[in-house]
Amino acid sequence: MKADKFSVTEAAELYSIPNWSGGWFRVNDDGEMEVTPSPGLSVVIKDVVDELVERGESMPFILRFPQVLAGRVKQLNESFHKAIDEYNYKGAYQGVFPIKVNQRRLVVESIAQAGYQYAHGLEAGSKAELALCLAQKMHPDALLCCNGFKDDGFIKLALWGRSLGKNVVITIEKFSELERILKQARALGVKPAIGVRFKLHARGSGQWEESGGDQAKFGLNAYELLQVVERLKEENMLDSLVMLHTHIGSQITDIRRIKVAVREATQTYAGLMAAGASLKYLNIGGGLGVDYDGSKTTFYASTNYTLAEYAADVVYTVQEVCKARQVAEPTIISESGRALTAHHSVLIVPVVDVTGPTRNLQDIPPASEDTHQIVKDLEDVLENITTRNYREMYNDAVGDKQTLHNLFDLGYVSLPDRARGEALFNAILRKVAKMVSGEKYVPDELEDLQKVLADKYICNFSLFQSLPDNWAIQALFPIIPLSRLDEKPTRQATLVDITCDSDGKIEKFIDLRDVRATLPLHEPGDEPYYLGIFLAGAYQDVLGSAHNLFGKVSEAHVTVRSGGRYHIDLFVRGQKARRMIESMGYEEGMLRESIEDQADEAIKEGWLTDQQEVEMLEDYGEELLGYTYLEYEEI
Ligand SMILES: *Cc1c(COP(=O)(O)O)cnc(C)c1O
């Protein structure tokens, strides 16, 4: 039974789906979200979810689509190739994937595999990341860039990588690293390939503006850069210097900032060439953004350019400077991470309950004989509020409620009076909400009303584990019901997670103008109601933390086949409770022993029977091996 028919076109518009999806997701005619890895291929996301649930897998989980990763690698490389053809640029383009954005095996392997034909490489920022990258099969020309501060072990590992035939480039992030590299290269007898990171004075835009500029954490200044050239000349090793590296931060929202930075980087490249260096690669770093809200603006959750425009502007700018400075056009390297990975995964969270001021008990408790005057004042407001006076009356009610609470604290208002007063206030809220819902413009003083009245949809997930950037830096992600998109959403909601942290909530949602305080959702019915959290494939998997010991969530790797079919290539179960507890320094044996000892004592005291002990230990053991998230059964 579908109440209130509403078209899927309206749903697409309401949730801005075509604006942020980049063509990877769409709503079908039955009102269901689909993933569309290429024009002829699509699958209903809820079908995959239903199958996993049927198999007995617990939610929440992440669906990963390797074809989307491969598609993004292709789009990035082909955008650059197209720009190179168009401008008749003499150099090449080669990307590297900075694995810090997502080191999950499926992600790195899918990118390495799809990138092989483009000689797309990898970037490591630590010893552990380098160890992981060295084990990947890569095109012999593909770069393996080593960024980040380095000790001798890091440098040695990088040098051995060259002996394995890999195109490893060690980036100097601070001046003293040069001597370390020279020393280890001598000791190992391996000729290094060196890059040097330059502190551009240009800055990014958006939330990572501080990554660039003179105060940046990484990089050399102009004088240090020239000293590197001199020192390498002395060693007769200037040919080892192959790359200039720059990076002005992630999610650059404004294409003009990118052009300014690329111009400065290319001028620097030309300057190094003039100083005698024979560089080959110009690395422009990351920063290629993702339009999370689909607004195509310089808002922090958006970008005012497309992938094609990015590639064209970079190639054009490098060429322009090279022509003016008469230097050979370099191989352009970009370290795009966010843009390659954001789209590939969808976090699926079930709504497990709904609460809110309009859903709590709505009866108004009866008045007592000596009802306090302040409660009577609220009665008056409720009785006399009309569409003509509601603004004024609403403000009166807000004041009265405040007074009610103050009087309660002082002992002048009884608990039953407080209960009646609050119920009256909520009834007033509901009345005002009805009056406002017909109006086009909500008066400023009532703007918060929507948020106050909103339902809280309780979702079975941890924000801190699965969407840390929403908590830490207010990053926005598109959140869409997986089905019922042919039905008008009748509720306005905010989302809360299941951690015991009041910060574990989502109260900001994407909008084409600014941000929305509430998300339109459907009234959950008898069927499970699932939300998809989209574009969360970059950074979230690694930055997530184990608040309340909610662990890594389960994930399915899904390949889409023709005819709406799909294949679940792999299902990886999320972390078990035991793993989470052990990661805090406890041991499973110790836990079980403690419970057994306590149970034995309890039996002696007569609190527990032998049979109950067996059952209890069974339940305890089962939870240690269980998923950390809620696993509700029917009441
Ligand atoms: C983090 C980082 C990147 C990745 O940036 P994105 O904006 O995710 O593409 C690239 N290069 C360096 C040096 C980085 O630190």
Side-chain angles (χ1 to χ4, degrees), residues 98 100-101 147 197 245 247 249-251 285-288 335-338 539:
K100 75 154 192 270
V101 177
N147 297 340
R197 178 152 169 183
H245 179 230
H247 173 68
S250 199
Q251 184 68 10
L288 172 56
E335 299 176 323
S336 307
R338 178 186 301 276
Y539 296 101

Side-chain angles (χ1 to χ4, degrees), residues 300 470 474-477 479 506-510 515-517:
Y300 76 89
N470 180 269
Q474 289 76 54
L476 302 179
F477 298 92
I479 303 177
I506 303 181
E507 292 183 336
K508 289 201 166 72
F509 303 94
I510 62 159
V515 294
R516 304 181 58 111

Side-chain angles (χ1 to χ4, degrees), residues 25-82:
F25 304 99
R26 68 172 181 215
V27 48
N28 70 15
D29 292 341
D30 295 326
E32 299 162 315
M33 285 301 287
E34 290 187 342
V35 58
T36 53
S38 63
L41 292 181
S42 69
V43 76
V44 174
I45 296 174
K46 190 164 172 292
D47 287 353
V48 184
V49 174
D50 287 343
E51 178 181 333
L52 290 169
V53 170
E54 209 148 285
R55 286 190 194 179
E57 300 299 351
S58 298
M59 297 241 216
F61 38 66
I62 292 176
L63 302 185
R64 295 191 196 278
F65 300 102
Q67 288 159 307
V68 174
L69 281 170
R72 292 296 288 175
V73 171
K74 182 169 180 231
Q75 272 184 345
L76 176 65
N77 280 280
E78 294 190 352
S79 296
F80 269 98
H81 292 174
K82 186 160 170 277

Side-chain angles (χ1 to χ4, degrees), residues 96-101 123 147-148 173 197 208 211 218 245-252 283-289 310 334-341 538-539:
V96 294
F97 171 58
I99 71 164
K100 75 154 192 270
V101 177
E123 184 264 337
N147 297 340
E173 302 276 9
R197 178 152 169 183
W208 283 269
S211 304
F218 292 112
H245 179 230
T246 62
H247 173 68
I248 57 166
S250 199
Q251 184 68 10
I252 309 295
N283 186 336
I284 60 167
L288 172 56
Y310 174 82
S334 86
E335 299 176 323
S336 307
R338 178 186 301 276
L340 284 189
T341 54
Y539 296 101

Side-chain angles (χ1 to χ4, degrees), residues 372-375 377-378 395-413 418:
H372 195 282
Q373 184 54 42
I374 193 71
V375 178
D377 291 350
L378 283 162
N395 284 329
D396 286 352
V398 171
D400 287 347
K401 192 178 91 169
Q402 180 79 51
T403 311
L404 175 81
H405 285 160
N406 291 344
L407 290 171
F408 177 81
D409 293 348
L410 295 171
Y412 297 120
V413 161
R418 175 176 169 167

